[in-house]
Amino acid sequence: MGMPHPERAPMILVDRHTLNEYSGREGKDTGSGPATHVQGLCLATVYSSVPSIVRTPGSLLGVSSISTPIVNKRCNVSAVLVLYGLPRLFTGCILAHELMHAWLRMKNITGLNLKVEEGLCQLMAYVWLDRQHGKLSKDALQQRYASYFSYQIRTDISDVYGNGFRDAYEAFEMRGLTAVINDVLSRGRFA
């Protein structure tokens, strides 16, 4: 979708047990997701620098200066996991969502409001499905699948994923995908 990843993290199809195990390790099993539960996961590690303290003999309490707060973050995406055995379009939709998480991490973006990050990732899944729908003009069944998965994203009732998507989609409709992504990168929100 015109957003190249600077690294190539492996994309791995896994069984339900493995996905749930890694989801628990990452602290992602919060119950705030869609009713279908965890279908994919971006495994990433965030590295941050630690501020240093310089001590000088004879100064007050032995501390002469303190560096600036933590500013250097570096993220490493180790893998993108997707549940094995799902239909092609659903797998692609999950990959689009998880690859948006991976792209954000590779840009060293962390600490976004959960509703903003998940809304943006759902928007990417939705846009990917929309593009697939256009490519499937000769396959009515696959078009119906694409429409169904898009419908699921649009009508999700969860606050984080559903309302997050609707906020992202509203911004997308007004300004386009590039502007929405730039707003999230620079301001941490839509608009």
Side-chain angles (χ1 to χ4, degrees):
M1 293 174 70
M3 299 170 61
H5 285 215
E7 303 169 26
R8 290 212 165 218
M11 290 180 254
I12 306 169
L13 296 172
V14 297
D15 63 12
R16 168 74 59 202
H17 173 75
T18 303
L19 190 59
N20 287 342
E21 180 182 328
Y22 277 94
S23 179
R25 286 184 195 172
E26 294 285 309
K28 303 292 184 192
D29 194 11
T30 62
S32 64
T36 53
H37 206 45
V38 178
Q39 307 290 352
L41 187 65
C42 173
L43 300 179
T45 305
V46 179
Y47 301 95
S48 300
S49 65
V50 178
S52 59
I53 300 173
V54 178
R55 297 181 187 271
T56 306
S59 64
L60 182 62
L61 299 175
V63 177
S64 65
S65 67
I66 299 175
S67 70
T68 58
I70 297 174
V71 292
N72 294 328
K73 283 187 200 169
R74 185 177 55 84
C75 301
N76 178 36
V77 176
S78 55
V80 173
L81 307 180
V82 177
L83 185 62
Y84 173 77
L86 300 174
R88 182 188 74 81
L89 286 171
F90 194 32
T91 299
C93 175
I94 293 166
L95 277 171
H97 177 104
E98 296 304 330
L99 286 172
M100 187 67 220
H101 283 299
W103 189 84
L104 288 168
R105 295 301 168 268
M106 289 178 196
K107 293 283 187 184
N108 298 316
I109 304 297
T110 61
L112 287 174
N113 175 293
L114 193 57
K115 191 173 168 181
V116 170
E117 183 165 343
E118 294 300 345
L120 180 60
C121 293
Q122 287 292 81
L123 176 64
M124 292 306 288
Y126 186 83
V127 169
W128 183 85
L129 279 169
D130 188 52
R131 290 182 181 182
Q132 297 308 301
H133 193 276
K135 294 177 183 179
L136 298 169
S137 61
K138 295 179 181 170
D139 191 337
L141 180 61
Q142 291 297 312
Q143 276 192 323
R144 287 194 356 234
Y145 281 144
S147 295
Y148 173 75
F149 297 139
S150 295
Y151 173 80
Q152 291 296 310
I153 292 172
R154 284 192 318 273
T155 61
D156 188 329
I157 61 171
S158 70
D159 185 48
V160 171
Y161 291 83
N163 290 335
F165 164 74
R166 284 181 281 282
D167 291 347
Y169 189 74
E170 182 179 332
F172 167 71
E173 286 279 288
M174 288 191 303
R175 293 185 320 284
L177 187 59
T178 302
V180 170
I181 292 170
N182 288 337
D183 284 344
V184 170
L185 292 177
S186 63
R187 298 184 189 122
R189 58 187 168 86
F190 307 118

